[in-house]
Amino acid sequence: MSRRRFWPRMKNFLLQLGEQDGIGATATMIVKDKKRIVIEHGIGFSKNGEIKINNRPAGDYLVGTRIDLIILTHRHYDHIGAMARFIALHPEAEVVMSYEVHQLGIIVLEDSYKIQHGERRKAEMAGLPLPEEIVSLEDIDIFKKLPNEGGTIIKGNAWLDSHPKWIGWKLGFHHSGHDTGSLMVFIKTPSGDRIVYTSDVASHDQKIVKGVMMPDQEFIGDFFTGDGKTIMITEATNGNRPMVEIPERVEARMIAVTKTVIQRGGIALYPSFAGNRCANNVWSLCEAGILTVLDGLACDFVRIEIPGTLVDQWVKEGKLIIVKGPDRKLSRELREKIVRGDFGPCAIVTSSATMEKGHAPWYGSKLLDNPLNALIFTGHMFEDSIGEQIRTDALVERGRTIKLEIFVGQGRDSRLEKVPVNVRCDVYHFDRTSHDKQGGLVERIRLVRPDHLIVHHCKKDGYEGLMNAVIASPHIKTPRISRATHLTPIEL
Ligand SMILES: [Zn+2]
């Protein structure tokens, strides 16, 4: 789609290029005081029958349009997915991200290249049209070299206010409490207006990161003083969900259930998001003294998400087994031993959270038919996912059959096959969300006191839940409220 088709006739505006489904493929463009800022360039997934489709933001990477600043707040696919290509196509732009996001981002991009490559090969062999390339090795190379080639890689919380191209601007970056190295963004423009972009945000603590409501006064300084209006852009993933149970209680119940499974000689399988949730679960389980197995992509992340010394200590004490390693044959043998019970009862943490890709379906095919075992979900349950189907089936009756897609055969002969599995184990869901619930989101809005509140990264119910809570709050002077949906410009 050419830029002409959607570029609004406004001087100052915000335009959400992605988020076709509300959540997924976030790409927020802000044009203000003659600067063009793009925050995130993610990808989303949707299903068309059996075929999975990648959604990327509209605008064909805004080729031919000058971009002044690109910000990547964290490494989740819906934020980073199309970012390497976007950065590569905009050498004129300043690029800012945290040190941890740069490190984790490289792993995510390399994994996404591998998956994409596999998908393209599959399509080629089946004579189907090739899926679009989202990231190339050249893109990844440019991303890798950012620290040496003009990118701004932030360590800790920082203000960048002495940049020659940004005279009269203040740009602040502070941890957002959502994920390792994730950032919220504070922008003061030459006209005196303030922009607060929360990104994905959490005020409650997780094992791997401390929650952040707002930065302290020392960081904020005089940001909120002076004339000009305050524009706040917040996510609302959980905008309609109040916190009914504190995270520590959720964790305690999860550990208690897992210990019961271990005591009866079973294995607890945790299908988890590779980024963030695997590490949080591993930390909780190892701390509780439960023998924990980690497999899949999260094995590459774990030493960035959890202090390496702690990981090494768990491994040394025999509390943690990290399966994925450079020797594939060895890893495969280890996997077989674990599901055979050679290591005894344990918890297995692996991706994917939806049981559609990665190692979770394979482990599931070996474990779910045994009533001694348990399947424990800890993330958002996506409608239409295999995981959600297993969970809802289990609410009705035990022993329903599900088809899991796993790799069978080895080496060149390996192929994906759907195997039927009779689900006879217990199935649980503990919501260990890394996004603020409604109360946290509302409290942050109370503290920021925006004149204009822009809500994005949510479904309709999340937006309405948050909007109604803000309007109902006696402590908040109701601001102008807009919802940033796909390609709907909002004047700033
Ligand atoms: Zn996120």
Side-chain angles (χ1 to χ4, degrees):
M1 190 188 309
S2 79
R3 173 185 144 184
R4 276 234 158 74
R5 300 259 306 272
F6 61 81
W7 197 271
R9 291 180 164 212
M10 298 171 187
K11 253 189 177 159
N12 298 306
F13 63 87
L14 177 146
L15 186 63
Q16 179 52 247
L17 296 168
E19 297 188 5
Q20 288 90 336
D21 297 324
I23 296 177
T26 293
T28 308
M29 179 166 63
I30 296 171
V31 175
K32 184 91 174 94
D33 294 15
K34 298 188 176 133
K35 294 275 193 199
R36 296 171 185 158
I37 302 169
V38 172
I39 312 179
E40 343 280 27
H41 224 72
I43 50 172
F45 304 100
S46 59
K47 263 190 191 171
N48 181 1
E50 283 289 287
I51 312 273
K52 266 204 164 166
I53 301 170
N54 281 335
N55 297 319
R56 65 169 167 79
D60 288 326
Y61 302 97
L62 302 175
V63 172
T65 302
R66 185 199 84 239
I67 301 298
D68 299 293
L69 175 63
I70 298 172
I71 299 167
L72 174 61
T73 68
H74 64 291
R75 52 79 194 249
H76 290 152
Y77 277 112
D78 54 332
H79 297 249
I80 197 179
M83 188 47 119
R85 171 75 40 107
F86 191 77
I87 291 171
L89 291 169
H90 289 283
E92 77 283 7
E94 304 290 322
V95 182
V96 181
M97 70 190 71
S98 74
Y99 173 77
E100 293 87 347
V101 168
H102 184 249
Q103 297 286 301
L104 293 165
I106 293 169
I107 301 170
V108 171
L109 292 167
E110 284 179 340
D111 182 63
S112 134
Y113 174 80
K114 228 171 59 192
I115 293 171
Q116 170 194 290
H117 203 71
E119 292 289 322
R120 282 167 73 88
R121 228 186 26 209
K122 245 175 21 192
E124 204 173 13
M125 273 160 41
L128 293 166
L130 292 193
E132 186 197 322
E133 185 186 68
I134 304 258
V135 63
S136 69
L137 290 176
E138 294 74 42
D139 300 332
I140 296 174
D141 204 45
I142 289 170
F143 186 90
K144 276 186 185 167
K145 286 181 182 152
L146 280 172
N148 302 320
E149 313 223 327
T152 302
I153 308 297
I154 290 173
K155 285 193 174 173
N157 305 316
W159 285 97
L160 310 176
D161 45 7
S162 57
H163 196 285
K165 279 194 195 156
W166 293 83
I167 290 165
W169 291 75
K170 280 187 77 152
L171 303 170
F173 301 87
H174 191 284
H175 186 51
S176 83
H178 167 64
D179 187 36
T180 307
S182 66
L183 294 174
M184 44 172 113
V185 185
F186 296 83
I187 301 173
K188 202 163 189 177
T189 74
S191 61
D193 288 346
R194 291 165 286 266
I195 299 170
V196 178
Y197 182 90
T198 68
S199 187
D200 291 4
V201 70
S203 56
H204 58 262
D205 292 344
Q206 301 169 61
K207 302 306 277 189
I208 61 166
V209 284
K210 282 246 165 297
V212 177
M213 178 52 82
M214 278 291 281
D216 60 15
Q217 193 47 47
E218 198 188 327
F219 179 87
I220 286 294
D222 62 358
F223 180 78
F224 284 108
T225 59
D227 299 336
K229 59 179 182 286
T230 300
I231 301 154
M232 179 182 189
I233 302 144
T234 184
E235 64 130 323
T237 313
N238 290 327
N240 59 330
R241 296 188 195 101
M243 186 178 279
V244 287
E245 191 178 21
I246 58 166
E248 290 78 6
R249 277 288 308 158
V250 177
E251 183 190 10
R253 281 197 300 120
M254 181 189 97
I255 292 297
V257 160
T258 310
K259 284 189 169 164
T260 314
V261 175
I262 303 273
Q263 272 154 18
R264 69 181 182 220
I267 291 178
L269 176 61
Y270 278 75
S272 314
F273 297 116
N276 175 295
R277 210 56 43 82
C278 277
N280 272 309
N281 288 334
V282 162
W283 197 319
S284 299
L285 292 159
C286 286
E287 202 176 63
I290 294 165
L291 173 61
T292 305
V293 172
L294 178 64
D295 202 354
L297 179 63
C299 299
D300 300 335
F301 291 140
V302 72
R303 283 189 171 79
I304 307 174
E305 298 177 290
I306 301 176
T309 47
L310 203 51
V311 175
D312 293 337
Q313 188 191 323
W314 292 333
V315 171
K316 217 172 88 192
E317 289 170 358
K319 283 183 189 160
L320 178 63
I321 300 170
I322 299 177
V323 178
K324 188 186 168 215
D327 188 335
R328 284 171 154 219
K329 189 165 166 261
L330 218 65
S331 301
R332 210 163 43 227
E333 284 167 8
L334 194 51
R335 250 166 233 140
E336 294 284 356
K337 280 185 192 163
I338 289 159
V339 293
R340 221 166 44 210
D342 288 10
F343 292 88
C346 62
I348 301 170
V349 180
T350 190
S351 50
S352 82
T354 56
M355 305 253 337
E356 283 170 5
K357 278 189 305 196
H359 295 288
W362 183 83
Y363 281 107
S365 73
K366 305 284 179 195
L367 298 171
L368 300 190
D369 63 349
N370 183 344
L372 293 180
N373 297 336
L375 180 62
I376 301 181
F377 295 106
T378 57
H380 177 74
M381 303 303 292
F382 289 92
E383 289 164 41
D384 303 336
S385 69
I386 301 282
E388 177 62 357
Q389 200 189 326
I390 298 175
R391 192 187 71 86
T392 47
D393 277 1
L395 292 175
V396 184
E397 64 181 333
R398 203 179 270 258
R400 286 205 173 175
T401 297
I402 190 100
K403 279 191 173 164
L404 294 172
E405 202 174 38
I406 64 167
F407 272 105
V408 294
Q410 281 176 21
R412 283 179 158 268
D413 296 329
S414 82
R415 62 196 183 280
L416 275 171
E417 209 165 81
K418 285 198 167 164
V419 298
V421 182
N422 198 235
V423 183
R424 305 183 60 80
C425 69
D426 294 335
V427 181
Y428 298 90
H429 179 226
F430 299 100
D431 184 7
R432 304 193 88 190
T433 184
S434 59
H435 295 267
D436 249 339
K437 293 284 176 84
Q438 188 185 65
L441 294 168
V442 171
E443 175 60 7
R444 191 172 297 101
I445 294 164
R446 185 185 75 82
L447 293 168
V448 171
R449 293 196 293 164
D451 300 289
H452 186 183
L453 176 68
I454 300 173
V455 183
H456 77 127
H457 202 289
C458 56
K459 300 276 183 187
K460 186 164 170 274
D461 54 358
Y463 169 68
E464 283 172 358
L466 181 61
M467 185 183 65
N468 292 332
V470 167
I471 292 169
S473 167
H475 309 291
I476 299 175
K477 189 172 146 239
T478 305
R480 177 185 162 202
I481 304 177
S482 320
R483 182 177 174 203
T485 52
H486 183 59
L487 293 185
T488 314
I490 296 169
E491 190 152 24
L492 300 179

